[in-house]
Amino acid sequence: MNSPDLSSAVSPDSSRMFARMADPLRYAQALLERYALFAGMTSRDRLLGGLVEAVAVLSESQLSQLYLLDETHTRLTLCAEYCDGTLQPVSSASVPSDYTDAHLLQYCLCQDQTLSLASLESSLFATDFLPATSNPWRSLLCLPLKNDQGHVIGLLLWANQRALDMQHYSDSLGHLGNFVVAQLQLLQNLRARPIDEPQTSLATKAMPRGYGLIGDSPPMRAVYQLIGKVLHTPVSVLLTGETGTGKELVARAIHDCGSRRSQNFVVQNCASIPDNLLESELFGYRKGAFSGADSDRPGLFDAADGGTLFLDEIGDMPLSLQAKLLRVLQEGEVRPLGSMQTHKVNVRIIAATHCDLRAQAERGLFREDLFYRLASFPIELPPLRDRGDDILHLARHFAANACAFLDRPACRWTDPALEQLAGYGFPGNVRELKGLVERAVLLCEGNELLAEHFNLEASPTSNVRLSLRERMERVERNLLVDCLRKNLGNQTSAANELGLPRRTLLYRMQRLNISPAELKLAREKLHAQSAT
């Protein structure tokens, strides 16, 4: 079933506050009293309950509701409800933010529009989100609430069992709702920050983490913050970064966590198909458009209509196709090959490249107008070597997945193996790490991952952050490990060969984190040889 046309239900922005109120001065005084009351509250529940009560009382409505999005903007929760003069208990359950079964809430949330229905017909609009009563709901107003950065973070709704035009309350009660939201964020920030902790912005404190991605390093947290800004807006996104940094995963996260999550996510690598076929693949064709076109075929833009089209390696798209892509971005129109007619599509474009598109545009290899259109919201993904402890988190994740796929027990990690990964530069980024870990899982015996299973060659970036002392310790560590393995783990023999007292050898092993697990493989080989 198609979404109803709500354009006629959205009232104009020019309606003036208080213009249609019988006693505007009394209303203004009651409104100011609410501001003063909320400014002194320090309880989240009292703020939420007080807001829905104030909205119902001030607008003379039988019902008011407050919905808030979670930090990832993927779940919408009814946080407070006031009905028939009583604050109602609410469930902690939430629903997906696309709200496909409630077009009214979906429209207000995703389009950032105030919605006013003076004559609510249940036969036209699904109203299951309203409480069941003996008398039907006849009018409704719903408006988006925003944080200090202008991003929609929830909905404020009030309804009546009489057919009323309540648009004249929207401005004043919307400001009141935004004030309460700001108070909630302030309270959350103050309670989460210790007294001696340096002050950080509310945006940083409320920063969503994850979106299905792995990593909590500062560069990745910056990426999460940018993802959160485009989840519910149709703006085009350009993902940049080195090869193997996970651009397709980020594109899918934006789709799966955004308002288009219930629609198709279509992927096309612009470098994986010949130029003469890419146009027909993207835009489709009509019967007879070229030799072999025996029937009409829709393109990927039609397949992604209502959803997201991810164009990977956009820098390899030929200039002739770039002009047609620009028209899709500007006009939302697609013309298939062999057709004189265009048709509308509603597709969000997410593009990705490892090239410097600005430099290509300056050299005439990429359309400058298309570059500026795509680069309106760029997200640069950090290389793996700049992500710190994320390397080890990703390695453990890939190892666990590989073991599950092979139906074998989880592997144990030795400290030298982790140290070797942490010190490597990873020119192939996450893709290279995934391949190395999966190979090591296949090579390891006894479900123990050793440094020798990775056998990483030194890369130009692997020692960039190591001091002279750290490099010397690495050389010493490798020397001790080789000597111990040569002597099959016998510490006395190794100490004699190195010309050291055994106590000194034990001290150096402890200081350099040389664990007995590293020497286990050599002893197992000796036992195997003895058995044969």
Side-chain angles (χ1 to χ4, degrees):
M1 178 178 178
N2 295 329
S3 300
D5 183 8
L6 302 175
S7 58
S8 61
V10 180
S11 301
D13 295 333
S14 58
S15 61
R16 300 177 57 188
M17 189 183 301
F18 308 144
R20 299 178 57 186
M21 297 178 183
D23 192 348
L25 292 180
R26 183 176 180 181
Y27 176 84
Q29 180 179 0
L31 186 64
L32 290 175
E33 290 175 353
R34 295 287 181 171
Y35 273 101
L37 180 63
F38 293 151
M41 286 186 179
T42 58
S43 168
R44 181 180 185 273
D45 292 339
R46 290 187 61 195
L47 275 169
L48 297 179
L51 175 60
V52 292
E53 178 186 4
V55 169
V57 172
L58 293 173
S59 65
E60 300 179 349
S61 301
Q62 284 90 20
L63 171 72
S64 64
Q65 294 178 328
L66 174 64
Y67 296 86
L68 293 178
L69 287 167
D70 68 349
E71 290 184 345
T72 64
H73 284 210
T74 59
R75 308 294 298 182
L76 188 67
T77 303
L78 175 63
C79 295
E81 181 179 271
Y82 190 85
C83 186
D84 292 332
T86 305
L87 190 63
Q88 304 294 321
V90 294
S91 172
S92 59
S94 60
V95 295
S97 60
D98 51 25
Y99 236 71
T100 53
D101 294 330
H103 296 292
L104 300 181
L105 297 183
Q106 180 191 16
Y107 182 87
C108 185
L109 179 70
C110 299
Q111 300 298 324
D112 188 12
Q113 293 282 351
T114 296
L115 181 66
S116 179
L117 294 173
S119 181
L120 180 61
E121 294 290 340
S122 58
S123 60
L124 296 178
F125 306 109
T127 57
D128 293 340
F129 55 90
L130 299 176
T133 58
S134 57
N135 297 322
W137 299 103
R138 296 296 187 186
S139 56
L140 174 145
L141 192 142
C142 183
L143 55 83
L145 298 178
K146 302 180 181 180
N147 59 15
D148 56 353
Q149 298 174 331
H151 301 136
V152 177
I153 58 174
L155 299 174
L156 185 61
L157 177 149
W158 58 94
N160 264 294
Q161 295 172 346
R162 295 177 296 161
L164 298 174
D165 183 5
M166 300 178 291
Q167 176 64 26
H168 52 287
Y169 291 108
S170 62
D171 289 340
S172 57
L173 296 184
H175 290 312
L176 183 64
N178 290 331
F179 176 79
V180 169
V181 166
Q183 289 293 102
L184 288 173
Q185 291 179 332
L186 179 61
L187 288 176
Q188 181 180 1
N189 185 52
L190 292 175
R191 289 173 179 173
R193 177 172 58 88
I195 297 178
D196 57 346
E197 180 184 344
Q199 178 129 10
T200 57
S201 64
L202 289 173
T204 302
K205 278 294 179 180
M207 185 183 304
R209 298 181 182 180
Y211 296 110
L213 306 174
I214 296 175
D216 195 35
S217 61
M220 286 304 296
R221 293 172 65 188
V223 170
Y224 300 154
Q225 186 178 20
L226 292 176
I227 290 174
K229 295 180 183 297
V230 294
L231 290 181
H232 298 284
T233 57
V235 63
S236 300
V237 178
L238 178 63
L239 303 176
T240 62
E242 299 178 6
T243 299
T245 51
K247 292 185 282 292
E248 184 174 340
L249 290 178
V250 173
R252 186 173 291 277
I254 294 174
H255 173 82
D256 290 344
C257 298
S259 57
R260 296 173 181 256
R261 58 187 295 176
S262 59
Q263 305 299 322
N264 289 335
F265 178 78
V266 181
V267 179
Q268 176 60 54
N269 189 311
C270 299
S272 65
I273 188 170
D275 295 352
N276 58 335
L277 296 180
L278 182 58
E279 182 176 5
S280 61
E281 190 73 14
L282 290 175
F283 297 93
Y285 54 81
R286 295 291 180 259
K287 181 179 179 180
F290 51 84
S291 178
D294 300 328
S295 61
D296 293 350
R297 179 183 176 183
L300 296 183
F301 279 104
D302 296 299
D305 193 14
T308 303
L309 177 60
F310 175 56
L311 297 176
D312 199 6
E313 300 299 346
I314 189 71
D316 293 321
M317 176 177 284
L319 289 170
S320 58
L321 281 188
Q322 293 178 25
K324 296 192 70 172
L325 176 59
L326 182 63
R327 181 164 184 82
V328 176
L329 290 171
Q330 291 179 339
E331 307 296 336
E333 293 180 349
V334 169
R335 188 177 74 177
L337 288 176
S339 175
M340 300 299 294
Q341 303 293 327
T342 63
H343 60 273
K344 291 284 187 179
V345 292
N346 177 19
V347 177
R348 182 189 197 161
I349 302 295
I350 301 179
T353 180
H354 69 281
C355 304
D356 186 349
L357 287 188
R358 183 184 296 275
Q360 286 190 266
E362 292 174 352
R363 295 196 300 267
L365 302 177
F366 196 85
R367 288 184 64 100
E368 190 174 6
D369 48 3
L370 178 59
F371 166 71
Y372 288 117
R373 187 80 185 200
L374 291 173
S376 59
F377 198 93
I379 299 178
E380 183 175 1
L381 303 188
L384 185 57
R385 60 183 173 272
D386 294 340
R387 292 177 54 180
D389 291 340
D390 288 353
I391 296 175
L392 304 186
H393 295 159
L394 286 164
R396 290 188 175 96
H397 171 76
F398 293 142
N401 286 349
C403 290
F405 178 77
L406 297 172
D407 195 21
R408 56 189 287 184
C411 291
R412 298 183 302 275
W413 285 87
T414 61
D415 292 338
L418 293 174
E419 180 183 339
Q420 190 175 37
L421 290 180
Y424 183 61
F426 288 102
N429 292 293
V430 181
R431 184 182 293 119
E432 181 184 8
L433 173 63
K434 184 173 185 291
L436 287 172
V437 171
E438 290 175 348
R439 175 181 178 273
V441 170
L442 291 173
L443 291 176
C444 76
E445 300 176 0
N447 284 342
E448 191 169 54
L449 292 172
L450 306 175
E452 63 189 42
H453 294 142
F454 296 92
N455 191 28
L456 298 179
E457 297 180 359
S459 68
T461 57
S462 61
N463 289 327
V464 170
R465 293 171 292 177
L466 295 180
S467 65
L468 176 61
R469 184 174 188 176
E470 290 171 332
R471 297 184 190 185
M472 294 297 295
E473 287 181 347
R474 177 168 293 186
V475 172
E476 180 184 359
R477 190 180 193 284
N478 292 334
L479 176 63
L480 294 182
V481 170
D482 290 342
C483 186
L484 285 165
R485 286 182 176 174
K486 178 182 176 182
N487 289 275
L488 304 179
N490 189 307
Q491 297 169 359
T492 301
S493 299
N496 292 334
E497 181 176 337
L498 293 170
L500 297 174
R502 184 173 181 275
R503 180 179 300 178
T504 302
L505 176 63
L506 293 176
Y507 168 77
R508 301 303 298 176
M509 289 177 59
Q510 182 179 7
R511 187 176 185 278
L512 297 172
N513 294 320
I514 299 176
S515 64
E518 293 183 65
L519 313 175
K520 182 178 179 182
L521 185 61
R523 291 196 298 269
E524 290 178 349
K525 290 182 179 179
L526 176 63
H527 294 323
Q529 294 173 357
S530 301
T532 57

